[in-house]
């Protein structure tokens, strides 16, 4: 493949370098385009535009491949727990026994919130969406740690990373307890990361609590498959905000807000609501597949389709298998899982979906497992955020460690009014 692209603009001949990634992906480097020609590129939604090079996650949408730091997601889901994968994403290598032990201890010592933060929850209405609480409280963390906000000080960044990974489950569990009027449950640092989250979510002070190992296993798997996904909307948001040298708490809070969108991480909550609507409406999945094909309906199959995957989302395959295992173990028949499988079968045999290569994505089956564990639907996207945190942190850190880091500031093509004279108020129509 040529290592330059030739571009003819009027009578000007340009040459633009083509760069090749470690998986032989090719990219047209346009960093000199405007300087040479005055031209900028236009690409709504960045469908064809790479924002950076990155060594964290590789995905091949055509082949349905996903790897974190070179390791296939299937092997990580099978052999690791979430904290181990968190270490891999952030530091680039699978940890040794010693490294993993130190990492777990570093996280454990930061699981509690400052007691003054508890009063934040009194200010929210009981039915506040937990994603609004999560982004607010994460941003507010920066006010309690004003001594360690410098994005250029590796020691302060490291401490902030430990604090965020340790505290996100606590912040999340407190938002759930607030919504059901139960007392907040403190973290128990003798428990594993996922055990601790489940006990903060479901324990009550009045009786002993047993953490179900099947739930812990299922939660670890879900968090691992959500942990990173290269330049998705929320990760790009974290990079964008971080590029201005905003502190890591502010950057992560912005990422949480982007993830909340129903076209992105909010799709898991929207997908279960859609499946419940289909069940309440008699379970006629064909009716809803037809609605999704009708552009005037404004209806989409939530949990279906993906900007990059034009094949099965490998995470959906892993989660669907875990659904089967968990429901069988719990001897649970979840009508949501039944109708989801029927919907998948009808959609994947319909030309509209086949032609557009629309397959179930990570959000299509995740809700089934969350429900089996007892997670309320409003908390689904919060779980996505807990899972995605290591990916956000890894990308923010990679950007700050890059010698070519610059503030993100895209260009535009102006299509507004031409220059015109000011009209005083008394002369306006
Ligand atoms: C996540 O980027 C990531 O990596 C995200 C994520 C991650 O890990 O970070 O993977 C997590 O966000 C997964 C996606 C969750 N969102 C949903 O499930 C919402 C439903 N899906 C879509 O709205 C849509 O598929 C997107 C947003 C996911 C992708 O949108 P694109 O790439 O902009 O595709 P598009 O909207 O341009 O659709 C292309 C065509 C259109 O039809 P035509 O104009 O060609 O006729 O496919 C149609 C769309 O109408 N289409 C759908 C559809 N998704 C796309 N039609 C019906 N149902 C759907 N779900």
């Amino acid at each position: 493949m040529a290592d330059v692209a030739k571009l003819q603009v009027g009578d000007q001949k340009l040459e633009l370098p083509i760069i090749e990634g470690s998986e032989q992906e090719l990219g047209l480097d346009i960093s000199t385009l405007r300087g040479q020609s005055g031209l900028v590129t236009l690409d709504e939604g960045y469908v064809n535009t790479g924002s950076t090079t990155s060594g964290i996650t590789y995905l091949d949408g055509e082949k349905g491949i996903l790897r974190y730091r070179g390791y296939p997601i299937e092997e990580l889901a099978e052999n690791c727990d979430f904290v181990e994968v968190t270490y891999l994403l952030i530091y680039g290598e699978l940890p040794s026994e010693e490294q993993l032990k130190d990492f777990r201890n570093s996280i454990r010592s930061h699981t509690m919130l400052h007691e003054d933060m508890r009063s934040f929850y009194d200010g929210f209405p009981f039915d506040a969406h937990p994603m609004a609480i999560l982004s607010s409280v994460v941003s507010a963390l920066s006010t309690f740690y004003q001594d360690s906000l410098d994005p250029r000080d590796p020691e302060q960044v490291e401490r902030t990373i430990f604090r965020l990974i340790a505290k996100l489950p606590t912040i999340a569990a407190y938002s759930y307890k607030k919504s059901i009027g139960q007392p907040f449950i403190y973290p128990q640092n003798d428990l594993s990361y996922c055990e601790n989250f489940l006990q903060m979510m479901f324990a009550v002070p009045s009786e002993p609590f047993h953490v179900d190992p099947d739930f812990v296993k299922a939660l670890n798997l879900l968090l691992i498959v959500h942990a990173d996904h290269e330049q998705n909307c929320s990760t790009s948001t974290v990079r964008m905000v971080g590029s201005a040298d905003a502190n890591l708490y502010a950057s992560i809070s912005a990422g949480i807000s982007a993830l909340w969108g129903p076209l992105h991480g909010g799709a898991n909550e929207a997908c279960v609501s859609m499946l419940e609507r289909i069940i309440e409406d008699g379970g006629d999945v064909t009716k809803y597949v037809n609605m999704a094909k009708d552009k005037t309906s404004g209806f989409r199959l939530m949990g279906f389709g993906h900007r990059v995957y034009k094949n099965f989302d490998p995470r959906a395959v892993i989660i669907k298998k875990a659904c089967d295992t968990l429901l069988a173990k719990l001897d649970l028949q979840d009508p949501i899982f039944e109708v989801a499988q029927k919907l998948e079968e009808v959609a994947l045999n319909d030309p509209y979906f086949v032609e557009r290569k629309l397959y179930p994505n990570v959000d299509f089956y995740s809700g089934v497992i969350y429900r089996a564990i007892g997670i309320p639907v409003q908390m689904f996207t919060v779980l996505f955020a807990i899972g995605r945190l290591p990916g956000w942190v890894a990308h923010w850190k990679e950007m700050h460690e890059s010698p070519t880091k610059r503030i993100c500031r895209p260009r535009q093509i102006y299509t507004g009014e031409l220059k015109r004279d000011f009209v005083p108020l008394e002369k306006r129509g």
Side-chain angles (χ1 to χ4, degrees):
M1 177 79 183
D3 54 8
V4 290
K6 297 183 190 308
L7 187 63
Q8 174 95 27
V9 182
D11 54 11
Q12 189 183 8
K13 288 189 171 38
L14 302 174
E15 286 201 349
L16 294 169
I18 290 178
I19 67 163
E20 184 170 352
S22 42
E23 287 283 351
Q24 289 74 52
E25 293 166 303
L26 297 176
L28 182 61
D29 181 344
I30 58 168
S31 47
T32 61
L33 177 66
R34 191 165 180 275
Q36 289 189 57
S37 67
L39 286 176
V40 295
T41 57
L42 194 58
D43 185 19
E44 289 286 344
Y46 307 117
V47 178
N48 307 282
T49 298
S51 57
T52 184
T53 57
S54 174
I56 297 170
T57 288
Y58 172 69
L59 48 102
D60 180 322
E62 274 59 45
K63 296 184 188 136
I65 291 172
L66 171 59
R67 299 189 200 125
Y68 296 161
R69 300 287 189 178
Y71 296 99
I73 188 67
E74 293 80 5
E75 292 182 37
L76 295 172
E78 184 65 33
N79 300 297
C80 299
D81 78 358
F82 176 60
V83 172
E84 198 173 354
V85 169
T86 295
Y87 184 100
L88 170 68
L89 283 167
I90 295 174
Y91 301 108
E93 299 295 337
L94 286 169
S96 66
E97 287 264 4
E98 195 57 29
Q99 287 168 328
L100 185 54
K101 187 163 140 283
D102 290 347
F103 189 57
R104 289 190 203 282
N105 290 336
S106 302
I107 292 168
R108 271 198 187 102
S109 55
H110 291 283
T111 52
M112 285 174 62
L113 298 190
H114 190 293
E115 281 295 296
D116 289 354
M117 295 202 90
R118 292 168 59 108
S119 58
F120 280 51
Y121 290 81
D122 301 335
F124 291 110
F126 80 95
D127 57 353
H129 196 289
M131 285 297 275
I133 297 177
L134 203 68
S135 60
S136 310
V137 177
V138 164
S139 181
L141 281 172
S142 63
T143 64
F144 287 83
Y145 302 111
Q146 300 180 41
D147 63 336
S148 56
L149 299 178
D150 181 356
R152 298 168 186 272
D153 178 338
E155 195 277 326
Q156 292 184 34
V157 168
E158 177 107 311
R159 209 169 336 132
T160 304
I161 291 172
F162 293 150
R163 282 173 171 149
L164 276 164
I165 293 168
K167 295 178 195 306
L168 209 58
T170 311
I171 295 169
Y174 281 12
S175 70
Y176 174 56
K177 288 300 195 186
K178 154 84 189 179
S179 73
I180 55 174
Q182 282 188 1
F184 293 3
I185 300 296
Y186 285 109
Q188 294 296 329
N189 291 339
D190 57 333
L191 297 175
S192 74
Y193 193 83
C194 286
E195 286 171 341
N196 211 352
F197 174 67
L198 291 173
Q199 73 92 19
M200 288 190 283
M201 281 285 288
F202 301 118
V204 287
S206 46
E207 52 196 60
F209 180 76
H210 163 69
V211 186
D212 184 322
D214 289 330
F215 291 0
V216 174
K217 188 169 183 317
L219 185 55
N220 265 299
L221 179 134
L222 276 178
L223 295 179
I224 287 169
V225 299
H226 282 88
D228 191 50
H229 217 238
E230 53 133 282
Q231 304 307 321
N232 60 84
C233 179
S234 54
T235 300
S236 298
T237 301
V238 170
R239 280 178 170 261
M240 172 74 80
V241 172
S243 76
D245 277 2
N247 65 70
L248 184 51
Y249 297 110
S251 307
I252 297 300
S253 173
I256 292 168
S257 298
L259 188 73
W260 193 4
L263 293 185
H264 188 17
N268 56 16
E269 178 180 349
C271 179
V272 166
S273 305
M274 172 191 74
L275 295 171
E276 283 170 340
R277 177 182 164 192
I278 295 173
I279 291 168
E280 280 152 29
D281 189 19
D284 177 1
V285 293
T286 307
K287 171 183 169 187
Y288 285 84
V289 166
N290 291 334
M291 267 168 62
K293 293 156 57 179
D294 171 9
K295 295 280 187 258
T296 60
S297 73
F299 173 80
R300 282 194 163 190
L301 290 189
M302 303 314 278
F304 247 81
H306 199 277
R307 172 63 59 78
V308 176
Y309 288 123
K310 302 307 171 190
N311 193 326
F312 270 94
D313 181 334
R315 303 167 298 177
V317 175
I318 293 169
I319 294 172
K320 184 179 178 184
K321 208 168 101 208
C323 287
D324 274 326
T325 311
L326 186 64
L327 295 183
K329 250 199 158 189
L330 300 173
D331 194 20
L332 259 182
Q333 298 288 333
D334 182 351
I336 291 273
F337 189 42
E338 306 306 322
V339 78
Q341 293 174 95
K342 265 172 63 184
L343 188 59
E344 175 185 353
E345 191 192 341
V346 172
L348 294 190
N349 286 294
D350 185 297
Y352 173 95
F353 289 84
V354 174
E355 283 153 21
R356 291 169 178 78
K357 298 183 179 176
L358 303 174
Y359 290 87
N361 60 48
V362 67
D363 295 311
F364 191 63
Y365 287 109
S366 54
V368 174
I369 294 188
Y370 289 140
R371 282 159 55 94
I373 293 176
I375 307 282
V377 66
Q378 267 215 343
M379 291 288 289
F380 288 4
T381 311
V382 171
L383 272 287
F384 194 148
I386 294 173
R388 186 52 53 89
L389 179 62
W392 288 334
V393 164
H395 281 274
W396 187 93
K397 189 165 174 284
E398 181 181 65
M399 175 187 66
H400 271 285
E401 288 167 355
S402 163
T404 57
K405 171 188 174 291
R406 304 182 72 177
I407 186 168
C408 295
R409 201 278 184 214
R411 293 283 179 157
Q412 65 162 27
I413 298 293
Y414 175 71
T415 54
E417 297 287 342
L418 299 178
K419 185 175 178 300
R420 49 183 172 166
D421 297 333
F422 178 74
V423 180
L425 184 59
E426 64 277 6
K427 291 196 174 154
R428 292 173 208 161

